[in-house]
Amino acid sequence: GSSAADADGDGGKGKEKQETLYYKVMVRDNGCGMPHNSIPDSLGRVLAGSKYGVRQTRGKFGLGAKMALIWSKQSTGLPVEVRTATGPDKLLSVCVLDIDIQKNQPRVNVHEQLANDEQMRGSEIALVVGGNWSTYRSYIVRYLRQMAVITPYARFGLAFTSAEGGRSNS
C-alpha cells in the first residue's frame, strides 16, 4: 500500500518529487519601445512580424518573449504584463495579454495608454512562471553570461527576491 509519504507510488525508491514554485520574472530594456497598436500581435501571435520597422533589426523572428509568454501560459495560466514607451516624452502603453495557443491569437485583457510620469523609454515585460529555482538557476546564469558575450554593449543584472523579501544578486 502507499502512504502519504509515498504519493508517487514507487515504494519510496524513486527520486524525490521536486516542488513547483511560482516566480514573477520581469525583463526591462531601454530600446525603441513598441508602438501601442502592435503590442498584442507582436507578443500574442507566434511568427507574426515583431521587429518594429527598421528601428530594431537584430534577431530573426522575435520568439524569445513569445516563448516566455507561452511558458507562462502553460505553467500558470496567468497573462503577461507589458509596459512600453517609444520615448520619455511619449505616452506609456500598458497591455495585459495572453495567447490562445490553438488559434495563435492574442487575448487582450488591458490595452491602454497612460501618462509616462516615469519618463520611461523601452519595454518591460512581467510574467509568472512555474519551475524550481534550484534546478534552473545555473541555466539562467549561463544564458545571461552568453548574452553578455554576444552583446557587449548591454548591461545585464539578475536579482532574485523571495516572497519573504530576501534578495540576492547574481
Side-chain angles (χ1 to χ4, degrees), residues 29-41:
D29 69 36
N30 62 352
C32 62
M34 289 185 267
H36 179 74
N37 291 329
S38 71
I39 297 169
D41 279 336

Side-chain angles (χ1 to χ4, degrees), residues 58 143-156:
R58 289 184 305 277
Y143 173 77
L144 288 174
R145 285 185 179 138
Q146 291 169 346
M147 289 298 295
V149 169
I150 64 171
T151 52
Y153 49 83
R155 188 180 69 201
F156 293 94

